[in-house]
Amino acid sequence: MSAVFYLSAFVAVAATVMVITRVNAVHALLYFIVSLLSIALIFFLLGAPFVAALEVIIYAGAIMVLFVFVIMLLNIGSEAAEKEKQLLSPQLWAGPALLSAVLLGEFIYVLGHGGARAGGIGIVGPRVVGISLLTKYVIGLELASMLLLAGLVGAYHLGRRQEAGRESGERS
Amino acid sequence: MTQDIYLNHGLILASVLFALGLFGVLARRNIIFVLLSIEVMLNAAGLVFVVAGAKWGQADGQVMFIFILAMAAAEVSVGLALMLRMYHILKTLDADAAGRMKG
């Protein structure tokens, strides 16, 4: 089981190195998603299945989709069609696909060998986490919801279209 | 005993990821990559919390990870909105182009 841990740690580090050295932002995003998936597998091995699911759903699902949307918003125009053709070329997706194939193999291996329990670490399930979140940390939960509301309002305010008065530097 | 080594190596992995993210923030000037590197660092911090929670078998580490997740979501939404605004005004994504203040 420790071989699985070290292999996914290697995949995480390799994918992160690829993230910070890419030139194209879409390539970097693909590698970052692989890095997040490998860290989710590490969470699963450490006996935290709930957090592993959150990592995949929220980080790799929601936050990365936000990044993709913004990158696609930034290059509208005739180059976008050319870039979409390039997305299908194997040299773009071969690296991330290879790394995620490694992760998939590890995941199947772990599931076939008794899950995370075989690692010798006690599993802290979603039930305990939820009870702790809603009793001991309920103030933190409220603060997090307020932070998300502030983020929503801030993103709306910054992202809306500028109206007249921009030239003079005044905000309407 | 073996699981202690396991957890120590989890901490080492987290520090390596954090160092990579820090390097990305310092070395890259494209603002998309700066944001991505900040995500890498936040993720490494969350990994530390989960590893510590796994060491003592408590749920607190996972709760802290959920808070970090909420913080990362808020940070990314505001950061990307700022990035779009900067692109519309300056027509570039270079972070150094926005280094000059108006006042």
Side-chain angles (χ1 to χ4, degrees):
Chain A
M1 201 54 66
S2 61
V4 177
F5 178 84
Y6 292 122
L7 198 54
S8 43
F10 172 74
V11 170
V13 172
T16 308
V17 168
M18 296 302 273
V19 169
I20 62 171
T21 53
R22 288 308 87 185
V23 176
N24 192 327
V26 179
H27 298 206
L29 276 177
L30 280 176
Y31 278 110
F32 190 48
I33 289 172
V34 174
S35 163
L36 290 173
L37 291 179
S38 59
I39 291 175
L41 188 57
I42 288 174
F43 285 162
F44 187 69
L45 289 176
L46 287 173
F50 181 54
V51 159
L54 281 184
E55 175 101 359
V56 174
I57 294 170
I58 297 182
Y59 245 121
I63 297 182
M64 288 304 110
V65 166
L66 216 61
F67 266 102
V68 172
F69 269 143
V70 170
I71 289 172
M72 293 299 166
L73 268 181
L74 288 181
N75 45 27
I76 311 164
S78 56
E79 319 163 15
E82 290 299 312
K83 280 200 176 159
E84 262 180 45
K85 272 178 200 154
Q86 282 176 17
L87 284 182
L88 298 176
S89 73
Q91 56 170 349
L92 197 161
W93 51 261
L98 183 69
L99 290 177
S100 21
V102 170
L103 287 179
L104 181 64
E106 286 179 43
F107 191 58
I108 290 170
Y109 175 82
V110 169
L111 285 185
H113 287 73
R117 214 173 285 275
I121 293 177
I123 294 177
V124 181
R127 183 188 168 88
V128 187
V129 177
I131 288 173
S132 176
L133 190 63
L134 287 174
T135 55
K136 204 159 76 173
Y137 290 102
V138 70
I139 294 177
L141 190 70
E142 298 293 338
L143 286 175
S145 66
M146 274 196 259
L147 178 70
L148 284 174
L149 180 65
L152 175 70
V153 173
Y156 172 73
H157 177 74
L158 290 169
R160 75 188 170 152
R161 223 171 268 281
Q162 281 277 324
E163 286 126 24
R166 195 185 128 192
E167 294 80 21
S168 58
E170 293 288 318
R171 191 162 293 163
S172 59
Chain B
M1 269 308 110
T2 57
Q3 83 188 44
D4 268 353
I5 297 171
Y6 210 59
L7 297 171
N8 285 342
H9 289 178
L11 289 182
I12 291 173
L13 170 67
S15 48
V16 168
L17 288 180
F18 190 90
L20 284 172
L22 186 62
F23 176 76
V25 169
L26 295 177
R28 300 300 301 260
R29 290 273 58 89
N30 189 324
I31 205 157
I32 293 178
F33 286 92
V34 174
L35 276 175
L36 267 180
S37 306
I38 290 173
E39 289 303 305
V40 169
M41 289 201 290
L42 283 175
N43 212 13
L47 180 60
V48 172
F49 275 113
V50 174
V51 166
K55 178 163 174 58
W56 281 282
Q58 297 290 321
D60 306 66
Q62 299 189 39
V63 172
M64 287 310 290
F65 182 81
I66 293 171
F67 290 155
I68 288 178
L69 205 64
M71 203 263 289
E75 177 254 330
V76 154
S77 60
V78 175
L80 288 175
L82 272 175
M83 193 179 87
L84 278 179
R85 169 60 67 89
M86 175 185 157
Y87 186 72
H88 284 146
I89 293 176
L90 298 174
K91 305 287 176 227
T92 176
L93 285 179
D94 191 355
D96 285 337
R100 204 171 280 273
M101 287 191 181
K102 224 177 187 178

